[in-house]
Amino acid sequence: MRKRMIALLTAGVLFSLMVGVGCGKVAVENIAVRKTTSSETEEEGVKGGEEGTPEGEKDGKEGSREETEVPRKESAKEAGETERQKALREELGVPEQFSAEYTDEWGVTQVIDAKVTVPDADTFLIYPAEEKIFRDEDIRTILKPILGEGGLYRFEPEDYEHLVSRAAGLKRRLENKDYQGEEERQSLEETLDTTEKCIQDMQGEVRKTAVPLRMTQEEKLDSEQFFDCLTGFTDWEQRTAEVLVSKYGLVFWAWPESEQGGCTISAEQAETLAKEYMRKMGLSEELTLDYSGMREPDDRSGEQEGHVFAYVRSVGGVPIGYWGAGGLYFVIDDLGVRWIEYSDYVAGQGGEPVELLPFSQIRKIYEETPIRISCEPGELKAVAVDEIRLVYRWVPDSGEGAAGYLVPVWEAFGTYESTDENGVLHNSDPTMRECLLAVNAVDGTILDN
């Protein structure tokens, strides 16, 4: 995950598909929406949430395709859908379950066995929107609940700072029993004693200086974005922390992760902590929980397990899609917050009513569009889609600046298998909830992830 965000920053696309509508309220009352009629739905071969059999393979198209029937999962009634959701599902011909399986022309097995969800809304518009520009005070407001009154600070001279980091790491290893046998435990204790004596000897010459929580313009990226990486200590167990700050958002993580571990707290305890942080950030009334789960340890990246919570905004009852990157994202374990990402959008007033395509057309696009993911040619081996949902997504205006639009989009989520440079097969992290394929719900175009 950490590599993912650093790569985004370095590429100059920090949170390019982020969520949120800023602090203002968007007026959506009294705005009519033109949607597909029942007759249009029937013309597409869709009745009551069931769809006609897709056309056979076109001449000259490689790959084989076979539609399969699977046991019904949770029904709309069981899911507790509102009358508006039921009406929207019927009007667009949206099934509760969408299943298909095929092998594309690259030999990648693609399986769609997806629950299809719709928002609690009867109004869809295209809103003008801009990426939120974060000010220094915004960054301080967001990070203060995490860092505490002591903020982020450094020690001088550097030798002292290195000793403090080493001592903290040794203590964590001993507390977590991260050693092999009694001999290694004794060695760690002796090293800790020696380190703490050195720290004590240097006390008289140490200076503690605050690390300003602000965005700088020390490095300019191609996209006219700026960022700075702030590194320092916190008062909570003097853990090292890093903050990657951009004018379009920030990323915080406790470091080094490889010397920490353990997640025995319950999901309820972790969510309570996340909600408390949101309250202190002033965001609890503006964002709602979009996804929660457990992140699994990753030996390759050094990431530890922890509870994941992703919060997003909604406009007119329609959530703004988180996954692609964006929203307010927490990873919490026994030591508290391990990771935070946050960025936002500011939506303009009003919006243009739009007509959504019947789901039969969306389904056809999903069946005929190979999912490629960000893998090198030949690395992708299999794709499995388990959820498709209708949300808003921010789309940049001609790819320039922070301006763009919130557009109704069908997003498909799932997992995939790929090989690394050594040919070893790996499964994607299911808690990352990657959007595998996004389709514009108005015109059917494929959107970049």
Side-chain angles (χ1 to χ4, degrees):
M1 184 192 311
R2 178 169 180 261
K3 294 179 181 178
R4 174 175 72 100
M5 285 311 308
I6 293 176
L8 285 174
L9 280 165
T10 306
V13 290
L14 172 64
F15 311 115
S16 59
L17 295 172
M18 294 293 295
V19 303
V21 292
C23 300
K25 300 293 183 182
V26 178
V28 295
E29 294 85 357
N30 302 320
I31 299 178
V33 174
R34 299 188 305 274
K35 296 187 293 187
T36 53
T37 64
S38 299
S39 60
E40 288 174 329
T41 302
E42 292 174 1
E43 288 175 2
E44 292 297 332
V46 183
K47 295 183 180 180
E50 296 181 358
E51 303 190 278
T53 304
E55 296 180 4
E57 292 297 328
K58 296 182 179 180
D59 294 338
K61 183 175 178 63
E62 297 182 31
S64 61
R65 185 183 312 276
E66 179 182 354
E67 192 169 11
T68 59
E69 292 295 332
V70 298
R72 179 183 61 82
K73 292 188 177 181
E74 189 177 44
S75 69
K77 183 176 180 180
E78 291 166 343
E81 288 190 336
T82 67
E83 291 302 318
R84 287 195 300 185
Q85 286 175 298
K86 295 175 183 177
L88 177 62
R89 187 180 292 277
E90 181 178 356
E91 195 157 4
L92 296 179
V94 181
E96 298 171 12
Q97 192 77 15
F98 169 17
S99 302
E101 182 175 345
Y102 64 96
T103 300
D104 67 23
E105 56 199 279
W106 287 275
V108 179
T109 301
Q110 308 213 31
V111 177
I112 301 175
D113 184 9
K115 177 183 177 181
V116 187
T117 60
V118 296
D120 183 14
D122 56 10
T123 301
F124 293 89
L125 305 95
I126 293 181
Y127 291 98
E130 293 187 351
E131 291 178 278
K132 176 179 171 62
I133 304 299
F134 282 75
R135 302 164 298 175
D136 291 348
E137 51 264 40
D138 296 324
I139 295 168
R140 287 191 287 269
T141 298
I142 294 167
L143 290 180
K144 185 176 180 179
I146 308 300
L147 297 176
E149 294 297 332
L152 194 65
Y153 55 86
R154 300 292 300 268
F155 290 114
E156 296 180 7
E158 286 189 7
D159 289 347
Y160 182 86
E161 187 167 293
H162 293 159
L163 289 171
V164 172
S165 293
R166 181 192 300 174
L170 290 167
K171 288 179 181 179
R172 283 190 292 271
R173 288 191 62 183
L174 288 167
E175 291 171 357
N176 297 334
K177 297 183 180 181
D178 183 16
Y179 48 78
Q180 298 293 326
E182 181 64 18
E183 184 176 344
E184 184 176 4
R185 184 190 66 80
Q186 292 180 358
S187 176
L188 291 174
E189 289 182 342
E190 291 173 0
T191 304
L192 177 60
D193 289 341
T194 302
T195 303
E196 289 182 332
K197 288 178 181 178
C198 291
I199 290 174
Q200 187 65 34
D201 292 341
M202 296 181 68
Q203 287 291 333
E205 58 183 292
V206 171
R207 295 186 304 276
K208 180 179 176 180
T209 60
V211 176
L213 298 178
R214 57 185 175 83
M215 189 271 294
T216 69
Q217 297 187 3
E218 294 181 358
E219 183 168 351
K220 185 175 181 179
L221 304 180
D222 293 340
S223 62
E224 301 297 321
Q225 299 183 32
F226 303 92
F227 77 92
D228 193 14
C229 187
L230 311 175
T231 305
F233 292 90
T234 69
D235 281 339
W236 27 292
E237 301 183 16
Q238 287 192 327
R239 282 204 290 170
T240 308
E242 293 188 22
V243 183
L244 210 54
V245 184
S246 161
K247 69 177 181 180
Y248 293 129
L250 61 86
V251 184
F252 164 93
W253 64 91
W255 188 257
E257 294 189 9
S258 58
E259 294 185 8
Q260 304 168 28
C263 186
T264 61
I265 63 172
S266 67
E268 291 76 15
Q269 291 173 312
E271 186 173 2
T272 297
L273 185 58
K275 289 180 178 179
E276 179 63 14
Y277 282 125
M278 287 182 62
R279 184 188 65 79
K280 293 179 179 179
M281 292 173 184
L283 297 171
S284 58
E285 298 300 320
E286 302 179 38
L287 305 179
T288 56
L289 183 64
D290 185 56
Y291 172 79
S292 63
M294 172 67 78
R295 186 179 72 173
E296 298 297 329
D298 189 332
D299 294 335
R300 291 177 295 161
S301 66
E303 294 172 357
Q304 304 296 315
E305 67 178 336
H307 296 283
V308 174
F309 302 96
Y311 295 86
V312 303
R313 295 184 185 271
S314 295
V315 178
V318 183
I320 305 173
Y322 171 88
W323 303 97
L328 179 60
Y329 179 94
F330 288 100
V331 177
I332 295 175
D333 63 10
D334 291 352
L335 295 178
V337 172
R338 176 68 60 84
W339 184 282
I340 288 179
E341 296 177 21
Y342 181 53
S343 186
D344 218 334
Y345 290 132
V346 179
Q349 295 295 316
E352 178 185 352
V354 291
E355 179 179 337
L356 303 187
L357 294 173
F359 191 79
S360 59
Q361 294 187 28
I362 302 299
R363 174 176 186 145
K364 188 174 182 181
I365 293 170
Y366 274 116
E367 291 175 335
E368 296 183 351
T369 305
I371 296 174
R372 304 283 11 116
I373 314 300
S374 56
C375 298
E376 295 296 324
E379 290 184 344
L380 187 63
K381 301 302 178 184
V383 175
V385 176
D386 58 28
E387 180 185 6
I388 297 175
R389 66 176 188 172
L390 179 60
V391 296
Y392 279 126
R393 175 181 279 210
W394 186 77
V395 178
D397 184 8
S398 302
E400 298 180 1
Y405 301 93
L406 292 175
V407 179
V409 171
W410 288 99
E411 293 184 328
F413 299 95
T415 56
Y416 60 91
E417 294 180 347
S418 61
T419 55
D420 59 21
E421 61 275 9
N422 298 317
V424 178
L425 187 66
H426 297 285
N427 295 318
S428 62
D429 181 356
T431 61
M432 292 304 297
R433 298 297 295 162
E434 287 195 56
C435 179
L436 304 179
L437 188 63
V439 180
N440 189 313
V442 179
D443 61 18
T445 56
I446 306 298
L447 300 180
D448 292 332
N449 283 330

